[in-house]
Amino acid sequence: MSTTPLDPNTLADPDWWLTHLEIAWQWARAEAFSAGFALQLALVLGGVFIGFALKHQFNVLIAHIFSWGTLKKFQTRAIRFLAPVAGPATSWLLLSLALFGLQQAGADSYLVRIAANLLGAWAAIRLLSAFIAEPFWARTAAAIAWTIAALNILGWLDSSIAFMDALGFSLGDENRVSLLIIIRAAVVLAIFYWVASGLSRILSTRVQRLPSLNPSARILLTKAGQIVLMASAGLMALSTMNIDLSALAIFGGAIGIGIGFGLQKIFSNLVSGVLLLLDRSVKPGDVITVDETYGKVTTLGMRFASVV
């Protein structure tokens, strides 16, 4: 199969599509309608069906094994890690046995080999993504990793990279933004955002344990750390797009002026909140009285205060 890099002009050419449709039809007549291909297709469908049909029994076996003695305390974690990979792992095992049998018999096995590799990559990636606590990020990371692995297994990765790199536009005289760069920046942003979220939680936990700081200072340090970490993640994602960050100075100045005029009230509240945190005049637990109404400060942030 040809892996020549594609570009938008090639895809817009009708002759290119007619040529490749004719190639696909010739391959279908020679291979797809043969007895060997039918056997491989049957083995793939049968292996996948049986593998996922045995998923429940596999999970029951895992729960039974980890119910013995000292293994019982790892039962919940084992089910969390192994249950999602039961179906693809069992299917991969069955297809690997079928692949071994076809190779020993000297028969064609390319379809079974591709299916086994795809299922094996699915099981391995799904197992590794289970270490990510957030379900959304776990599913997103698994989908991206398996897509890359599938393209590599099919031999389409280099062509796909070249095609996505061809879809782009120039930004100034030296910078060029392509679909590949945007996807890469999105992946980097997701990774750094996940890392920054984890670091911000660790920072918040550590700051809350410092006895020398009052509640207002703890909140201020936590919020400032979160802002710095998130801003760093965004700048790192922009740097992967080959954008000169110094060029953002004028753009940032324009945004600052717009924010100053359009969001005066919000930033006034923000500055007031920072001043209250710095001078320690109000802190969680204080009682505030206005005329005949009074309330207790339960939460104090940089932009708001919650009073019950």
Side-chain angles (χ1 to χ4, degrees):
M1 182 177 295
S2 174
T3 57
T4 304
L6 302 178
D7 56 72
N9 294 328
T10 301
L11 292 178
D13 186 5
D15 293 335
W16 183 89
W17 288 100
L18 292 175
T19 301
H20 283 75
L21 285 174
E22 184 177 354
I23 293 173
W25 173 248
Q26 294 296 334
W27 175 85
R29 291 180 60 185
E31 299 290 340
F33 299 145
S34 64
F37 183 86
L39 175 61
Q40 293 184 71
L41 183 61
L43 289 174
V44 170
L45 295 178
V48 173
F49 177 78
I50 295 174
F52 280 86
L54 296 176
K55 178 180 178 179
H56 178 70
Q57 286 74 12
F58 183 82
N59 292 334
V60 172
L61 178 62
I62 293 174
H64 181 66
I65 292 175
F66 281 89
S67 63
W68 298 342
T70 57
L71 295 178
K72 190 172 183 179
K73 60 182 180 180
F74 301 106
Q75 186 182 52
T76 303
R77 186 174 299 177
I79 293 175
R80 175 195 164 194
F81 278 87
L82 299 179
V85 303
T90 307
S91 300
W92 170 79
L93 179 60
L94 294 175
L95 290 182
S96 297
L97 294 175
L99 178 62
F100 178 77
L102 291 175
Q103 291 175 343
Q104 293 300 313
D108 292 335
S109 58
Y110 60 92
L111 182 61
V112 177
R113 182 177 66 254
I114 291 175
N117 290 337
L118 291 174
L119 287 167
W122 181 4
I125 292 170
R126 189 65 184 87
L127 179 62
L128 294 176
S129 65
F131 287 94
I132 303 177
E134 294 84 356
F136 172 77
W137 293 113
R139 290 193 296 267
T140 303
I144 294 173
W146 189 82
T147 301
I148 296 174
L151 291 174
N152 186 49
I153 291 170
L154 295 173
W156 299 344
L157 183 60
D158 293 337
S159 298
S160 301
I161 291 176
F163 174 69
M164 289 187 293
D165 189 51
L167 294 175
F169 57 91
S170 296
L171 189 64
D173 297 332
E174 299 180 356
N175 296 321
R176 182 177 181 276
V177 179
S178 66
L179 178 60
L180 177 63
I181 294 176
I182 294 174
I183 294 176
R184 185 186 302 164
V187 172
V188 172
L189 178 61
I191 294 174
F192 279 107
Y193 177 80
W194 176 63
V195 174
S197 299
L199 291 177
S200 65
R201 286 193 297 268
I202 295 174
L203 175 64
S204 177
T205 303
R206 295 294 180 87
V207 170
Q208 295 300 326
R209 293 177 180 176
L210 295 177
S212 59
L213 296 178
N214 58 67
S216 299
R218 293 174 186 172
I219 295 173
L220 182 61
L221 285 176
T222 301
K223 299 298 182 182
Q226 290 176 351
I227 292 174
V228 170
L229 289 172
M230 296 304 173
S232 300
L235 291 176
M236 290 179 182
L238 288 176
S239 65
T240 62
M241 299 178 66
N242 299 324
I243 295 178
D244 187 7
L245 297 181
S246 61
L248 298 177
I250 299 177
F251 183 68
I255 291 179
I257 294 175
I259 289 175
F261 283 102
L263 302 176
Q264 296 182 41
K265 191 67 175 179
I266 294 177
F267 275 81
S268 174
N269 293 335
L270 180 63
V271 173
S272 300
V274 173
L275 293 177
L276 286 176
L277 291 173
L278 288 175
D279 64 16
R280 307 175 186 177
S281 57
V282 179
K283 58 183 180 296
D286 289 351
V287 176
I288 297 178
T289 301
V290 178
D291 296 332
E292 297 181 356
T293 304
Y294 66 93
K296 182 178 180 182
V297 178
T298 58
T299 304
L300 185 63
M302 294 177 62
R303 196 174 48 85
F304 69 93
S306 177
V307 181
V308 176

